[in-house]
C-alpha cells in the first residue's frame, strides 16, 4: 500500500496516537507517498467534468492537504484559487510543492467548520476529507460551504461507490472503522477517521437542508459495476442563482 518513500509503521503509529491535526503535521512530508492521497486519475476526471460545467472565477479547495486538488481548480478557475486546511504541516508542503500555471494560488490555515471567508467563491471542491467529520457535523460543515459560495455557486466532490456487503473491501472498511472506534474509546485525543461514516443518503439529505440542489454525474473514466451503476460519481451541489 505504501511506496518506499512513504511512512514507516512507527511513523504511522505515532500519527494514529495523535490528534487529527498533529497526526497530519507528522505525516505531511510523506503524505503524497501514501494511499490517502487522492489518485491523479480521480483528480483528472473531476477536472474534466468541471471543465464541462465551468469556467469559474474563484475556487476553494476545502481540506486541501498537500494541495493535490489545487491543480484541479487552477485548471477551471480564471481569477484565483485558495487552499484551506487546519494542518500547518500539510500547508507547508503544499506551499513548497504546488506550482500550477494559471490564476494566483494562496493557502490559508483554518478549520473547515469555521471558514474565515465571506461569499467569495464560485466553486468549492474537496477530495478525500469527509471521513474526518462525524455525521452530526455535516449540517454545520455544509452550512459553512454554502456561506462562502456566491449565488449559483457550486460545491463538487467525487464519491466512490461503496463496496458490496460481504466483499473483501466491505470487511476491510468495517474492520478499519472498528479499530478506530476502539482506539478512540481508549485513547485521547481522538483521531476521527471513519471511512463508512460518509453515506450518500445522509449527505444528500444534509446538502438539501443546507439549501443546495444536488446532481450526480457519473465519471465514465472508471466504468460501471456489474449492476450498471457508476463506480465513481461527481456530486455537484449548487446554491440558488
Amino acid at each position: 500500500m505504501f511506496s518506499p518513500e512513504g511512512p514507516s509503521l512507527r511513523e504511522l503509529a505515532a500519527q494514529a496516537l495523535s490528534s487529527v491535526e498533529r497526526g497530519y503535521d507528522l505525516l505531511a512530508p510523506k503524505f503524497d507517498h501514501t494511499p490517502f492521497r487522492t489518485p491523479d486519475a480521480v483528480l483528472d476526471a473531476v477536472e474534466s467534468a468541471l471543465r464541462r460545467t465551468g469556467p469559474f472565477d474563484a475556487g476553494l479547495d476545502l481540506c486541501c492537504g498537500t494541495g493535490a486538488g489545487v491543480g484541479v481548480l487552477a485548471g477551471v478557475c480564471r481569477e484565483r484559487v485558495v487552499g484551506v486546511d487546519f494542518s500547518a504541516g500539510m500547508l507547508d508542503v503544499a506551499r513548497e510543492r504546488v506550482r500550477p500555471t494559471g490564476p494566483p494560488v494562496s493557502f490559508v490555515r483554518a478549520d473547515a467548520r469555521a471558514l474565515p471567508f465571506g461569499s467569495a467563491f464560485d466553486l468549492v471542491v474537496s477530495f478525500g476529507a469527509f471521513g474526518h467529520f462525524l455525521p452530526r457535523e455535516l449540517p454545520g460543515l455544509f452550512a459553512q460551504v454554502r456561506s462562502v459560495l456566491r449565488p449559483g455557486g457550486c460545491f463538487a466532490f467525487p464519491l466512490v461507490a461503496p463496496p458490496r456487503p460481504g466483499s473483501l473491501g466491505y470487511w476491510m472498511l468495517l474492520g478499519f472503522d472498528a479499530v478506530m472506534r476502539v482506539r478512540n474509546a481508549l485513547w485521547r485525543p481522538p483521531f476521527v477517521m471513519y471511512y463508512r461514516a460518509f453515506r450518500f443518503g445522509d449527505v444528500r439529505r444534509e446538502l438539501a437542508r443546507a439549501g443546495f440542489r444536488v446532481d450526480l454525474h457519473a465519471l465514465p473514466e472508471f466504468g460501471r459495476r456489474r449492476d450498471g451503476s457508476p463506480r465513481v460519481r461527481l456530486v455537484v451541489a449548487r446554491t440558488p442563482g
Side-chain angles (χ1 to χ4, degrees):
M1 293 178 65
F2 295 89
S3 71
E5 295 83 10
S8 66
L9 288 176
R10 181 177 181 180
E11 289 170 326
L12 285 173
Q15 180 209 11
L17 294 176
S18 305
S19 66
V20 179
E21 180 180 351
R22 176 58 179 160
Y24 276 101
D25 286 347
L26 294 171
L27 185 62
K30 298 183 178 181
F31 178 80
D32 287 346
H33 301 288
T34 73
F36 306 130
R37 181 191 183 276
T38 301
D40 287 339
V42 174
L43 298 171
D44 292 344
V46 170
E47 181 176 346
S48 178
L50 290 175
R51 283 183 183 277
R52 297 190 292 270
T53 305
F56 305 90
D57 289 331
L60 176 69
D61 185 2
L62 186 74
C63 306
C64 68
T66 56
V70 167
V72 172
L73 291 176
V76 299
C77 294
R78 298 176 291 198
E79 292 183 359
R80 69 183 182 114
V81 172
V82 178
V84 63
D85 202 280
F86 77 162
S87 166
M90 298 287 271
L91 291 175
D92 286 344
V93 174
R95 292 187 181 100
E96 178 183 343
R97 295 184 181 177
V98 174
R99 297 287 186 273
T101 58
V105 175
S106 61
F107 294 96
V108 176
R109 185 185 181 195
D111 192 320
R113 295 163 294 191
L115 293 171
F117 311 107
S119 54
F121 299 98
D122 306 286
L123 173 63
V124 175
V125 299
S126 193
F127 296 93
F130 295 124
H132 295 302
F133 298 95
L134 297 172
R136 66 174 180 269
E137 296 178 301
L138 293 183
L141 176 66
F142 293 158
Q144 284 292 299
V145 173
R146 173 154 186 202
S147 74
V148 303
L149 282 168
R150 294 166 178 159
C154 177
F155 177 32
F157 53 90
L159 195 65
V160 179
R164 291 184 177 83
S167 67
L168 177 60
Y170 174 86
W171 290 113
M172 287 178 64
L173 293 185
L174 190 68
F176 181 89
D177 282 8
V179 169
M180 292 304 298
R181 292 184 186 282
V182 171
R183 178 257 185 242
N184 288 335
L186 300 176
W187 193 269
R188 291 291 182 273
F191 192 96
V192 177
M193 187 175 182
Y194 298 117
Y195 282 110
R196 297 180 68 250
F198 195 71
R199 295 183 172 90
F200 177 67
D202 299 335
V203 170
R204 188 166 198 164
R205 181 180 65 251
E206 296 302 340
L207 284 169
R209 286 179 177 173
F212 288 98
R213 185 185 74 250
V214 183
D215 294 312
L216 294 178
H217 302 272
L219 295 180
E221 294 89 341
F222 302 97
R224 293 181 176 271
R225 304 201 297 180
R226 290 182 179 178
D227 62 3
S229 62
R231 294 185 184 277
V232 185
R233 292 182 172 97
L234 182 67
V235 179
V236 178
R238 288 192 175 276
T239 62

